[in-house]
Amino acid sequence: SEPGCVLKVQVISAKGLRAADWNGKSDPFCVCELTGKPDTKFQTKTISKTLAPVWNEEKEIDDYELGDCLEFRVYDYDLGSANDLLGRALLPCNAFDREGGVVGEL
């Protein structure tokens, strides 16, 4: 990749999340960014009352450079208090910076 490339990221879904709310469910959303580049951060919509959200969202991230890692964090949305971290995954560039990118689970 050339410095300053545009990276297309698709956040499809999650499964097996822990229940963070009293009702036995969570209200999950996903945050994705290039590690160390907070200006690249984007967030999916929140899906209410589920442990297996489907977002099907796509975003283009500017300023990707070889060596950048993608970080995905899934949170439970909480109105009036801090959101609960449900999970985190780090995808190194050698896993996606190649012909065809990467399709799979993290």
Side-chain angles (χ1 to χ4, degrees):
S1 296
E2 298 294 321
C5 287
V6 174
L7 182 67
K8 186 189 303 184
V9 178
Q10 294 177 314
V11 179
I12 306 300
S13 63
K15 61 183 177 182
L17 297 176
R18 71 177 174 85
D21 293 339
W22 61 270
N23 62 6
K25 301 288 184 181
S26 290
D27 304 310
F29 65 92
C30 182
V31 174
C32 178
E33 69 182 292
L34 295 175
T35 303
K37 295 184 175 181
D39 291 345
T40 64
K41 183 174 11 180
F42 73 91
Q43 178 178 319
T44 66
K45 64 186 174 283
T46 300
I47 308 292
S48 296
K49 299 178 184 147
T50 184
L51 301 178
V54 176
W55 295 290
N56 283 326
E57 294 189 31
E58 183 176 297
K59 176 77 173 173
E60 289 186 348
I61 297 178
D62 296 324
D63 199 29
Y64 169 74
E65 296 180 48
L66 185 62
D68 287 343
C69 294
L70 274 171
E71 182 177 10
F72 298 87
R73 294 183 310 275
V74 178
Y75 292 93
D76 170 56
Y77 173 77
D78 287 319
L79 181 64
S81 64
N83 297 320
D84 302 311
L85 180 65
L86 299 176
R88 178 179 176 267
L90 195 61
L91 189 62
C93 71
N94 63 356
F96 65 85
D97 191 354
R98 60 184 179 207
E99 187 67 32
V102 64
V103 175
E105 294 183 5
L106 301 179

